[in-house]
């Protein structure tokens, strides 16, 4: 919900055309986030070890939070909110759910920076507790001002009916409670990704130097270690680049629009359509962040390989079974064995089974 329009129904700023556009974008975004969330849950159900990965766990939860954000926007599009507390609550929840998924993504970037560059052990709990507390606090504490700040102090009559052209006090209020923190998340994420990128460049240079020296003096394993580290960091950069891009694309334009409206004292209806589309892109960007996550991607590949292997095994079993002579099938049946198992190999199969059982224990 945009702060420049009536909080009962969204389209009061531009009209029915904007309502249709907004609802299509919100419904699509909610469905995309829900499908990505279910995709992550299915992989966790098939491979529970995924849930042990901290970043993968966060990015799955983020999909649900983002889906809730757009569901609230859809409900608010049809429900006319008449009470002042209802409008305050909607604004508070909407702003929290807009910023919390982004902050949790920035936590993933900062945590990766601590582990890779500053050599902080990923098993330590204090970085996770501090960073997640900051992410949640930055999303909740500034937005809570909507719950206790009287509208009269902001030169507006009600949070349910905000004028299109913002007054000075209400504009400053929006900047301090929303804009600053949306910019903060994007800037911090971009700086962190840049630092990791510089580290990758330095690692690549050292890898080439070690490669040249290893041809004369060093053991080849040193070169292998350097190359694998560079490849790992390069893969990590491609994974986390989506996190700072998300707030820059989906949140910054909204802030820019009401800043321009405040200083120009005029509305820009065409930009509102672009703005609502960019807001919806947050679901797409967060979905990409989950799909390209190494843990999620590797789990998906393992599932595909496992299914293909089982399918080929069943086809091979059927082929072998159909090629057995009739006398062998009947003989095996008399001995209580499957038709495609040879009698002479029965004892060796038992020995193999016993060996595998011993190793599994």
């Amino acid at each position: 919900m945009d702060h420049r329009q009536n909080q009962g129904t969204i389209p009061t700023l531009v009209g029915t055309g904007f309502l249709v556009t907004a609802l299509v974008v919100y419904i699509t975004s909610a469905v995309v986030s829900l499908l990505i969330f279910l995709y992550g849950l299915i992989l966790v159900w098939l491979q529970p070890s995924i849930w042990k990965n901290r970043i993968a766990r966060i990015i799955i939860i983020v999909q649900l939070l983002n889906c809730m954000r757009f569901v609230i926007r859809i409900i608010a599009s049809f429900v006319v909110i008449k009470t002042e507390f209802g409008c305050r609550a909607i604004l508070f929840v909407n702003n929290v759910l807009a910023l919390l998924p982004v902050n949790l993504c920035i936590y993933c970037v900062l945590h990766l920076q601590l582990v890779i560059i500053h050599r902080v052990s990923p098993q330590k709990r204090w970085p996770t507790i501090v960073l997640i507390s900051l992410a949640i606090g930055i999303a909740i504490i500034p937005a809570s001002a909507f719950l206790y700040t009287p509208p009269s102090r902001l030169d507006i009559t009600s949070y349910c009916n905000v004028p299109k052209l913002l007054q000075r006090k209400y504009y400053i209020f929006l900047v301090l409670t929303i804009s600053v923190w949306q910019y903060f998340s994007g800037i911090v994420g971009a700086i962190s990704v840049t630092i990791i990128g510089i580290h990758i460049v330095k690692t690549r240079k050292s890898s080439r130097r070690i490669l040249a020296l290893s041809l004369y003096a060093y053991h080849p394993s040193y070169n292998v270690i350097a190359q694998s580290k560079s490849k790992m960091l390069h893969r990590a950069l491609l994974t986390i680049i989506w996190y700072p891009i998300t707030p820059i694309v989906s949140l910054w334009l909204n802030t820019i629009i009401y800043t321009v409206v405040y200083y120009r004292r005029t509305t820009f209806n065409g930009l509102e359509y672009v703005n609502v589309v960019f807001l919806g892109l947050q679901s797409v960007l967060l979905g990409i962040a989950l799909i390209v996550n190494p843990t999620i991607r590797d789990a998906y590949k393992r599932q595909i390989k496992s299914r293909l292997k089982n399918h080929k095994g069943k086809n091979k079993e059927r082929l072998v079974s159909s090629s057995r002579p009739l006398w062998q099938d009947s003989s095996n049946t008399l001995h209580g064995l499957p038709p495609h198992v040879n009698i002479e190999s029965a004892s060796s199969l038992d020995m193999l089974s016993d060996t595998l059982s011993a190793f599994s224990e």
Side-chain angles (χ1 to χ4, degrees), residues 40 44 51 69 86 96 143 146 164 212 223 228 246 250 297 338:
V44 170
W51 197 250
R69 174 197 180 193
V96 169
F146 285 95
K164 300 177 183 179
N223 178 45
S228 62
T246 300
S250 62
R297 188 168 51 186

Side-chain angles (χ1 to χ4, degrees), residues 59-183:
I59 201 63
I60 291 174
I61 295 174
V62 159
Q63 309 301 321
L64 180 60
L65 295 175
N66 196 61
C67 179
M68 292 169 57
R69 174 197 180 193
F70 286 102
V71 168
I72 289 177
R73 284 173 171 260
I74 294 170
I75 294 174
S77 301
F78 294 98
V79 177
V80 178
I81 304 172
K82 298 180 179 180
T83 63
E84 185 68 19
F85 177 77
C87 294
R88 289 169 178 261
I90 286 291
L91 285 170
F92 169 73
V93 174
N94 175 71
N95 290 317
V96 169
L97 292 179
L99 196 56
L100 183 57
V102 172
N103 288 351
L104 292 176
C105 289
I106 301 305
Y107 149 77
C108 297
V109 179
L110 295 176
H111 186 269
L112 189 62
Q113 178 184 340
L114 291 176
V115 172
I116 292 178
I117 300 178
H118 304 286
R119 306 296 178 88
V120 176
S121 173
Q123 304 302 326
K124 289 186 177 180
R125 294 185 177 180
W126 69 263
T128 299
I129 295 174
V130 171
L131 292 177
I132 289 186
S133 299
L134 286 174
I136 297 175
I138 290 174
I140 293 179
I141 294 176
S144 63
F146 285 95
L147 298 176
Y148 59 78
T149 304
S152 58
R153 297 186 60 181
L154 304 176
D155 293 337
I156 57 176
T157 57
S158 170
Y159 285 106
C160 295
N161 191 9
V162 178
K164 300 177 183 179
L165 300 178
L166 302 179
Q167 301 299 319
R168 180 175 178 272
K169 290 184 179 180
Y170 189 66
Y171 169 73
I172 295 175
F173 177 76
L174 291 181
V175 170
L176 295 178
T177 57
I178 301 175
S179 303
V180 170
W181 308 108
Q182 291 179 352
Y183 280 107

Side-chain angles (χ1 to χ4, degrees), residues 6 10 27 58 62 72 107 124 135 198 215 235 251 255 357:
N6 186 289
I10 290 180
I27 293 172
I58 289 292
V62 159
I72 289 177
Y107 149 77
K124 289 186 177 180
I198 294 173
L215 296 176
R235 186 182 185 188
L251 300 179
T255 301
S357 299

Side-chain angles (χ1 to χ4, degrees), residues 59 63 105 239 242-243 246 283-294 296:
I59 201 63
Q63 309 301 321
C105 289
T239 302
W242 304 100
Y243 298 154
T246 300
S283 297
V284 177
L285 295 172
L286 292 177
I288 294 175
L290 183 140
I291 292 173
V292 302
N293 181 272
I296 300 296

Side-chain angles (χ1 to χ4, degrees), residues 191-218:
I191 292 174
S192 182
V193 170
T194 302
I195 293 174
I196 296 176
I198 294 173
H199 185 72
I200 291 173
V201 173
K202 292 181 178 179
T203 304
R204 285 180 170 179
K205 290 181 179 180
S206 63
S207 299
R208 289 194 293 268
R209 180 177 58 84
I210 293 175
L211 174 61
L213 294 175
S214 64
L215 296 176
Y216 298 98
Y218 290 94

Side-chain angles (χ1 to χ4, degrees), residues 292-319:
V292 302
N293 181 272
T295 302
I296 300 296
R297 188 168 51 186
D298 292 343
Y300 174 77
K301 290 180 180 179
R302 286 195 296 269
Q303 286 299 318
I304 295 298
K305 290 181 180 179
S306 177
R307 290 182 177 274
L308 291 176
K309 185 177 180 180
N310 292 337
H311 182 69
K312 291 181 180 179
K314 290 181 180 179
N315 291 339
K316 185 177 181 180
E317 183 179 346
R318 291 173 185 172
L319 182 62

Side-chain angles (χ1 to χ4, degrees), residues 19 38 42 68 105-106 135 149-150 172 226 230 239 258 261 272 296 327 350 355 357:
L19 170 64
L38 294 177
I42 291 173
M68 292 169 57
C105 289
I106 301 305
T149 304
I172 295 175
S230 177
T239 302
Y258 67 68
V261 168
E272 292 296 340
I296 300 296
W327 65 267
D350 293 337
T355 304
S357 299

